[in-house]
Amino acid sequence: MSTVVASDLDRTLIYSAPALGLAMPDAEAPRLLCVETYERKPLSYMTETAAGLLAELAGSTTFVPTTTRTREQYRRIHLPGPAPEFAICANGGQLLVRGEPDRDWQRTVAERLASHCAPLEEIRAHLVRTADPAWLLKERTAEDLFAYLVVERPLLPDTWVKDLAGWAGERGWTVSLQGRKIYAVPRPLTKSAAVAEVARRTGASVVLAAGDSLLDADLLLAADRGWRPGHGELADTGWHAPHVTALDERGVAAGEEITRAFLHAAAPGHGRSPAPDGSGADGSAVDAAAAGG
């Protein structure tokens, strides 16, 4: 049985120091492995146990890092195990094959966005025009595909994000608030579409997935089985689906539990898990959650 394991990275598998969530006494904290440096300083970590599990997983499945990061940001990360044959960046806008962007996929994405969404320039202009300098720190675009703001979260009015989500939704875009970043992303630009392309090329019969934000909801819904940590947008909004396990663990401990769950589920004899009683969500629930910011 061929299995694709598609996982979000930041705050799902890897964690910055502020996101580690080490609630235990220092003497009981897990050993950590640095997997990313930025400007010559350590930036992102996994537990050493999670690193060992991920190396084993990457050797037995088609492991696909699936991130909203740009290609440049993704290349700073050095995950344990063999180099992935496939990686997905820019929320599905870039499919890397053995480290190089796939031109056919780029053309497919460009055609979808041109047909269904307002242009990036219009969205970016609105963001810049309506953002308040009192809380706006940076304004950026990623891969000429989507836009995001870096903000002072305590000063950000809740109504601004909700208003933006409504305005963007009318133009074929979605909005997601993740930590200090507000993302505006074209609706057809999804991780699930890129993962489906990887599954098609590899002939995979099973897709496993994990993620913590609303930008991961489509990925989780499209997978045969999924996991979300006890932190992040999905946890904060109470998002759930019958085949997605909502973990209690938070921070880097959740990353370790996710890698363990992947490895167990990818073992022979494990398929899609039955739905927990009383749980369920469909695409409309995702849209409603996204509209709420």
Side-chain angles (χ1 to χ4, degrees):
M1 180 177 67
S2 176
T3 301
V4 164
V5 178
S7 182
D8 176 53
L9 295 179
D10 294 281
R11 290 170 56 87
T12 298
L13 284 190
I14 68 175
Y15 292 80
S16 65
L20 287 172
L22 299 177
M24 70 290 291
D26 290 344
E28 299 174 14
R31 284 165 57 102
L32 300 174
L33 175 69
C34 178
V35 295
E36 179 188 15
T37 59
Y38 179 59
E39 295 181 342
R40 304 175 183 84
K41 296 178 182 178
L43 183 60
S44 298
Y45 304 85
M46 307 175 71
T47 68
E48 286 192 348
T49 298
L53 293 169
L54 184 59
E56 184 178 352
L57 181 74
S60 60
T61 67
T62 300
F63 172 65
V64 185
T66 307
T67 179
T68 306
R69 287 180 176 228
T70 64
R71 287 171 290 172
E72 180 182 0
Q73 293 167 337
Y74 166 70
R75 286 171 176 147
R76 297 197 304 252
I77 300 171
H78 299 282
L79 296 171
E85 181 179 3
F86 299 96
I88 293 165
C89 298
N91 208 62
Q94 294 284 355
L95 174 60
L96 305 186
V97 182
R98 290 178 286 277
E100 297 299 322
D102 188 272
R103 303 302 178 189
D104 290 339
W105 182 249
Q106 287 178 327
R107 284 191 290 270
T108 297
V109 169
E111 291 169 0
R112 290 176 181 174
L113 300 192
S115 300
H116 297 97
C117 307
L120 172 62
E121 293 76 14
E122 178 182 344
I123 305 302
R124 182 180 186 183
H126 180 82
L127 290 174
V128 173
R129 183 173 62 253
T130 59
D132 189 336
W135 46 259
L136 177 63
L137 298 177
K138 298 178 184 177
E139 176 268 329
R140 296 286 188 272
T141 60
E143 305 272 9
D144 292 325
L145 291 169
F146 62 90
Y148 65 94
L149 306 179
V150 182
V151 302
E152 286 282 8
R153 184 69 179 268
L155 301 179
L156 177 68
D158 292 339
T159 54
W160 190 88
V161 177
K162 293 179 180 179
D163 290 345
L164 175 63
W167 180 89
E170 296 173 355
R171 290 157 179 81
W173 288 63
T174 61
V175 171
S176 176
L177 176 61
Q178 301 182 40
R180 297 194 306 154
K181 292 183 178 180
I182 302 169
Y183 291 92
V185 179
R187 190 172 287 128
L189 192 69
T190 63
K191 294 179 177 181
S192 62
V195 170
E197 177 65 11
V198 173
R200 183 188 70 80
R201 296 188 187 190
T202 60
S205 55
V206 175
V207 174
L208 308 177
D212 70 296
S213 80
L214 289 171
L215 290 176
D216 298 312
D218 70 283
L219 173 64
L220 293 170
L221 287 172
D224 294 288
R225 293 184 66 184
W227 291 264
R228 67 161 175 83
H231 60 258
E233 278 186 309
L234 296 180
D236 292 344
T237 59
W239 186 93
H240 59 274
H243 61 286
V244 176
T245 300
L247 299 174
D248 292 328
E249 289 86 356
R250 301 170 61 88
V252 73
E256 181 175 314
E257 186 59 30
I258 286 168
T259 54
R260 184 176 290 109
F262 277 151
L263 197 58
H264 178 72
H270 290 276
R272 186 163 184 157
S273 60
D277 292 341
S279 67
D282 56 18
S284 61
V286 177
D287 290 340

